[in-house]
Amino acid sequence: MNTPAAERGTDTVKRGLAEMLKGGVIMDVVNVEQAKIAEAAGAVAVMALERVPADIRAVGGVARMADPSIVEGIVAAVEIPVMAKSRIGHFVEAQILASLGVDYIDESEVLSPVDEFHIDKWSYDVPFVCGAKDLGEALRRIGEGAAMIRTKGEPGTGDVVEAVRHMRTMTSQIRALTVLGSDEIMSAAKDLAAPYALVKEVASTGKLPVVNFAAGGIATPADAALMMQLGCDGIFVGSGIFKSGDPDARAKAIVEATTFYKDAAKIAKVSRNLGEAMVGLNIDTLSPQELMQHRGL
Amino acid sequence: MPRVGALALQGDFREHLAMIAELGAEGVEVRTPEELDGIDCLIIPGGESTAIARLAVRYEMMEPLRNRILDGMPVLGTCAGMIFLGTATTGKPQPQLGVLDVAVARNAFGRQQESFEANLDVKGFDRPMRAVFIRAPWIESVGPGVDVLATVFDPVSGREFPVFVRAGNVLAISFHPELTNDARVHELLLSLVAPGIDEER
């Protein structure tokens, strides 16, 4: 018999859920119907929000946490984990989302930041995922308590180029740490503007201490497999599914390409006849003020 | 040493294979029926059971998996893997292998904020395991021939629910030893492989 002295919200428990999501696809959804389509297509989690990033761009103005009724409806409708986004630094939005029972909070640059400081994520039992463009950002977020990292990419564009850039940057910065002598770690920590202990840990293990997903601009099965081959642990798809011609077919195809990411024949097979991909925005046409990736460094 | 497969459709299969490698056995990722052929035992990892089940159906893995397990291949299912091995769930029906006569309750302990770790006494183990429960299932009812090796007390219902069971060559647990340094469940799996099996190969 066990009467466990149960410990909640430990690092292992918070990082552990992200471990279970690996090799899977997390899909942005804005209502119960989309959440059910995502679950049936094999999503490992859904991100509940009021508008997908492409629509946030189109509408403009201040982007905030979703209406709690949207989040509650989705939490009630599916058995897979539900994530939701808070604004960077908006710890009350995070408290509200935790009270609604969400399984992960994305402190996200897709919404409008409210503070130059990020949320103190250690103080929550619910785990957080944060975006990063490079290793320094990733380790700062982990230092603040993030239990999962994702590339920022450039959300709502359907252009995967920035996610690729961010993943390559992180991988090459990690590789560079692994060859340093112990007397060089402090200087590397200073250059990365990252906590010494985490830099030391990455230098010795050669990997981030938490799971790292790809996000920002993934629109096709080939995009998903590309990010997996670049070493990501899994995939977030924002606007790419429900802004496309046939969301159900595209969702399934991206899930299958993520599992069989090294099998070009299978990826070719699932990529057939998916209808229109999201139209997309070329990164080069965006002005610097329109880029979301520079929010919350 | 035996060759151990980990079902690699989705989930934390790499952590299981790392633990298997530390025990000195060979681990391989299994995604297709052909990859099932060369292995002596199998781990079905934690992940999302609906995602794993949908891919297994879509890629025609259900029958080959069921046949190998019914044929006696030792198998360990953890968390989502436990659900996948079972015969029924208490929630929405989903594809299951039906090789372990148990009804499983998904997310039985609650949502992520109710996830926890605790020390767990296991029948046959001389000291407790550090058990990590993540949106974990428990077993609602077991059929004949299923041994219960560990349970957790639920203060809400006042009942104890199995979280570690064995039925012959089938092991199923609700928690995640692969996220700790405790390899005893994996050792138990390896011990079920018939001795000398790799010499036969």
Side-chain angles (χ1 to χ4, degrees):
Chain A
M1 223 286 286
N2 287 280
T3 41
E7 283 186 71
R8 291 181 182 172
T10 63
D11 282 5
T12 308
V13 165
K14 294 202 285 192
R15 295 176 180 183
L17 178 55
E19 297 286 344
M20 299 312 139
L21 303 176
K22 285 195 302 192
V25 182
I26 299 166
M27 302 181 192
D28 276 5
V29 298
V30 300
N31 56 42
V32 166
E33 186 199 356
Q34 290 184 356
K36 287 183 169 166
I37 291 171
E39 184 177 46
V44 291
V46 289
M47 177 75 71
L49 67 183
E50 199 153 322
R51 293 190 187 94
V52 296
D55 288 337
I56 289 174
R57 281 187 187 284
V59 170
V62 178
R64 309 181 178 89
M65 173 189 85
D67 184 318
S69 66
I70 295 176
V71 179
E72 279 172 328
I74 292 169
V75 163
V78 295
E79 290 190 334
I80 56 178
V82 177
M83 301 183 165
K85 287 184 195 292
S86 78
R87 283 180 268 177
I88 289 173
H90 205 316
F91 50 86
V92 173
E93 285 189 349
Q95 291 163 7
I96 292 167
L97 293 172
S99 80
L100 298 175
V102 304
D103 299 292
Y104 242 96
I105 294 173
D106 184 0
E107 186 183 17
S108 178
E109 70 281 3
V110 167
L111 306 183
S112 309
V114 302
D115 199 339
E116 66 215 75
F117 301 114
H118 283 70
I119 297 169
D120 170 20
K121 294 168 273 288
W122 297 113
S123 61
Y124 294 74
D125 280 349
V126 61
F128 282 75
V129 55
C130 288
K133 297 194 303 296
D134 55 42
L135 183 59
E137 267 190 77
L139 295 182
R140 288 195 292 279
R141 298 295 86 78
I142 296 166
E144 295 157 357
M148 178 178 185
I149 293 293
R150 54 172 175 73
T151 62
K152 284 179 163 174
E154 191 51 46
T157 59
D159 190 343
V160 77
V161 60
E162 293 300 296
V164 168
R165 194 192 316 278
H166 299 163
M167 190 58 198
R168 280 205 184 276
T169 303
M170 234 180 283
T171 306
S172 112
Q173 288 175 318
I174 290 172
R175 200 184 300 125
L177 284 186
T178 61
V179 298
L180 294 186
S182 57
D183 50 358
E184 296 172 299
I185 301 290
M186 183 59 86
S187 173
K190 186 190 74 180
D191 292 343
L192 289 167
Y196 173 78
L198 289 173
V199 173
K200 194 175 164 199
E201 182 181 345
V202 172
S204 92
T205 62
K207 60 187 186 67
L208 284 184
V210 303
V211 163
N212 184 18
F213 269 46
I218 294 150
T220 68
D223 289 348
L226 172 70
M227 296 311 298
M228 292 297 288
Q229 286 200 27
L230 286 172
C232 289
D233 293 312
I235 303 291
F236 281 92
V237 188
S239 320
I241 289 173
F242 290 101
K243 283 283 157 190
S244 75
D246 186 348
D248 179 46
R250 186 164 294 268
K252 287 175 178 160
I254 291 177
V255 166
E256 289 165 28
T258 301
T259 290
F260 296 100
Y261 66 96
K262 288 182 194 159
D263 187 334
K266 280 202 172 71
I267 301 167
K269 196 169 171 200
V270 303
S271 299
R272 288 186 186 126
N273 304 317
L274 294 180
E276 287 287 313
M278 71 178 282
V279 174
L281 276 171
N282 199 293
I283 294 289
D284 300 334
T285 66
L286 294 175
S287 68
Q289 306 89 279
E290 290 175 297
L291 295 175
M292 293 172 169
Q293 60 180 281
H294 300 302
R295 297 169 169 177
L297 308 175
Chain B
M1 287 295 276
R3 185 185 290 167
V4 184
L7 191 64
L9 296 172
Q10 189 271 317
D12 73 333
F13 50 88
R14 286 199 189 92
E15 281 57 42
H16 282 286
L17 291 176
M19 196 155 248
I20 288 299
E22 281 190 19
L23 293 173
E26 184 192 354
V28 292
E29 296 177 6
V30 173
R31 293 182 178 80
T32 61
E34 301 73 53
E35 287 167 338
L36 206 50
D37 286 341
I39 60 170
D40 304 312
C41 63
L42 179 72
I43 296 168
I44 304 177
E48 276 308 312
S49 59
T50 45
I52 294 172
R54 196 192 151 269
L55 287 162
V57 170
R58 172 84 177 74
Y59 286 90
E60 297 175 346
M61 287 292 278
M62 298 296 280
E63 278 314 301
L65 282 167
R66 197 176 280 135
N67 291 340
R68 279 299 307 270
I69 296 166
L70 291 177
D71 204 35
M73 175 180 69
V75 60
L76 164 65
T78 63
C79 198
M82 168 193 263
I83 299 168
F84 194 47
L85 289 169
T87 45
T89 67
T90 57
K92 271 184 251 178
Q94 59 188 82
Q96 289 176 286
L97 291 174
V99 294
L100 176 66
D101 189 5
V102 296
V104 188
R106 283 187 73 178
N107 303 333
F109 295 91
R111 305 191 67 84
Q112 173 62 13
Q113 289 174 84
E114 281 77 55
S115 294
F116 64 98
E117 51 180 305
N119 292 332
L120 185 75
D121 291 321
V122 176
K123 206 199 282 181
F125 287 3
D126 56 357
R127 59 197 157 76
M129 295 196 78
R130 189 66 181 169
V132 183
F133 293 88
I134 296 174
R135 286 174 47 96
W138 67 39
I139 289 177
E140 201 74 29
S141 60
V142 300
V146 179
D147 273 342
V148 176
L149 301 181
T151 61
V152 166
F153 178 75
D154 170 39
V156 178
S157 61
R159 284 175 59 196
E160 276 181 58
F161 292 93
V163 292
F164 189 164
V165 297
R166 176 178 172 186
N169 57 318
V170 180
L171 299 167
I173 57 179
S174 300
F175 52 96
H176 296 285
E178 78 282 6
L179 298 181
T180 71
N181 296 318
D182 192 335
R184 285 177 289 172
V185 176
H186 293 76
E187 284 170 357
L188 178 60
L189 174 70
L190 293 181
S191 76
L192 300 182
V193 177
I197 194 154
D198 47 335
E199 280 82 13
E200 286 169 29
R201 186 165 51 225

